[in-house]
Amino acid sequence: MPGIKADQQSRWCNQTHDKVVTLKFLMMQKTTLPKVFVIGHHKIATRSIHQLFKVDGYKSIHWKGGRIAETMLKNMRMSQPLLKGIESACVYSDMEYLHDDGEFFYGHRLFPILDLQYPGSIFIFNTRNLDSWIKSQLAHKSKKSGLYVRRIRKGLKTIYPGRKIKNRDVIKMWRRTWQQHEDEVNRYFSGKSNLLRVNIESVESKKQLISSLRTFGYELTSDDLPYVGATPKKRKISSRHGKSAD
């Protein structure tokens, strides 16, 4: 700029940039944006959807060690709004918990209550091939707690005492739960316009999801779901086939 020294110009540019970033952040936090609830099961790109919003500055919470689901259950027991204590976020995903003792709870199954308590919200129903999802479930484990399916077996044993629970019993439950949840989602959202469906194994379906989210006011810069939550080898293979993370 004429008449302005280089160091002054640099400071002015930095200050202007900071103001723009701050303004954009504040605009993103406006309560006019609808909340987004990811109501598909975990291991279906829930972290990828979470990251899609997070990289563009939107407040998104994912799993939190089961604390999202625990908060929802506690609030429901106390006749409080489900999100009391965590209502400041825009996006919620992987709303389940599974304790080491086998107790489990699926908060995403409460989507009708969320729709009632937070009118105008958007619901993302993320799906994938059922058999590949079951394989992913069987392989899922954590360093601290071990195999996911083992803890589910433990939980089922408390429900059916005296009965020997095997993996095939868990798989049978997963298949039944999958179909029941899909039927309930289809029935509840029939005639409604706030459900977005995405098949994470379809490139076009993922693009359509992001395009639809933009119409609701979310300024998303990516045209695909980011890939997170897998080993480098699996990430490399999946990227070639246009797949998203579990």
Side-chain angles (χ1 to χ4, degrees):
M1 292 183 183
I4 300 179
K5 294 181 180 180
D7 61 333
Q8 291 177 315
Q9 183 175 344
S10 178
R11 285 197 300 271
W12 181 86
C13 289
N14 289 336
Q15 291 171 357
T16 302
H17 175 267
D18 291 342
K19 289 179 180 178
V20 170
V21 170
T22 301
L23 179 61
K24 184 178 180 180
F25 176 80
L26 291 174
M27 290 177 67
M28 287 178 176
Q29 302 306 309
K30 287 184 177 180
T31 56
T32 53
L33 279 175
K35 288 188 180 297
V36 177
F37 298 103
V38 182
I39 59 171
H41 302 284
H42 82 153
K43 307 302 290 178
I44 310 181
T46 54
R47 271 188 285 182
S48 294
I49 297 171
H50 161 68
Q51 195 66 18
L52 172 72
F53 289 93
K54 189 175 179 181
V55 296
D56 282 319
Y58 296 103
K59 187 172 182 180
S60 176
I61 56 176
H62 171 272
W63 188 50
K64 291 291 185 182
R67 288 193 295 275
I68 302 175
E70 288 175 338
T71 298
M72 294 171 70
L73 181 58
K74 176 184 176 182
N75 287 331
M76 184 171 64
R77 287 170 172 167
M78 299 300 295
S79 299
Q80 300 282 0
L82 292 180
L83 301 182
K84 183 179 179 182
I86 55 173
E87 60 271 269
S88 63
C90 293
V91 186
Y92 301 81
S93 58
D94 201 345
M95 298 176 282
E96 76 161 63
Y97 75 68
L98 172 59
H99 290 169
D100 290 344
D101 62 5
E103 181 186 357
F104 56 88
F105 173 71
Y106 303 128
H108 59 273
R109 299 296 302 275
L110 301 179
F111 59 86
I113 302 177
L114 290 168
D115 192 31
L116 175 67
Q117 294 181 347
Y118 304 93
S121 296
I122 307 166
F123 294 81
I124 297 176
F125 186 35
N126 43 315
T127 63
R128 65 186 289 191
N129 175 270
L130 174 56
D131 289 328
S132 66
W133 176 72
I134 289 175
K135 289 180 182 178
S136 183
Q137 290 276 78
L138 291 171
H140 182 46
K141 64 180 180 180
S142 70
K143 293 181 180 179
K144 177 184 177 182
S145 304
L147 283 171
Y148 180 85
V149 67
R150 188 177 298 160
R151 285 177 285 154
I152 291 289
R153 289 204 312 263
K154 187 182 293 187
L156 290 179
K157 286 179 182 178
T158 64
I159 299 174
Y160 305 105
R163 177 178 168 182
K164 189 174 182 180
I165 303 295
K166 298 182 178 181
N167 279 6
R168 64 171 176 264
D169 298 305
V170 177
I171 292 172
K172 185 178 179 180
M173 182 197 73
W174 283 339
R175 289 186 180 276
R176 185 179 65 251
T177 301
W178 176 284
Q179 190 60 56
Q180 181 185 23
H181 185 53
E182 183 173 343
D183 290 344
E184 290 175 354
V185 168
N186 289 337
R187 186 164 56 250
Y188 178 81
F189 286 100
S190 177
K192 298 179 183 289
S193 59
N194 59 334
L195 178 70
L196 303 178
R197 301 174 186 270
V198 58
N199 178 355
I200 68 161
E201 296 169 339
S202 166
V203 173
E204 285 304 314
S205 182
K206 291 184 287 185
K207 287 183 178 179
Q208 182 58 49
L209 170 68
I210 295 170
S211 177
S212 298
L213 287 167
R214 288 170 179 154
T215 67
F216 285 96
Y218 282 96
E219 298 179 4
L220 303 171
T221 56
S222 176
D223 291 320
D224 195 4
L225 296 181
Y227 198 90
V228 294
T231 62
K233 182 179 180 181
K234 286 177 65 178
R235 186 178 298 117
K236 184 177 181 181
I237 292 173
S238 297
S239 64
R240 289 202 302 266
H241 293 280
K243 295 182 180 180
S244 296
D246 289 340

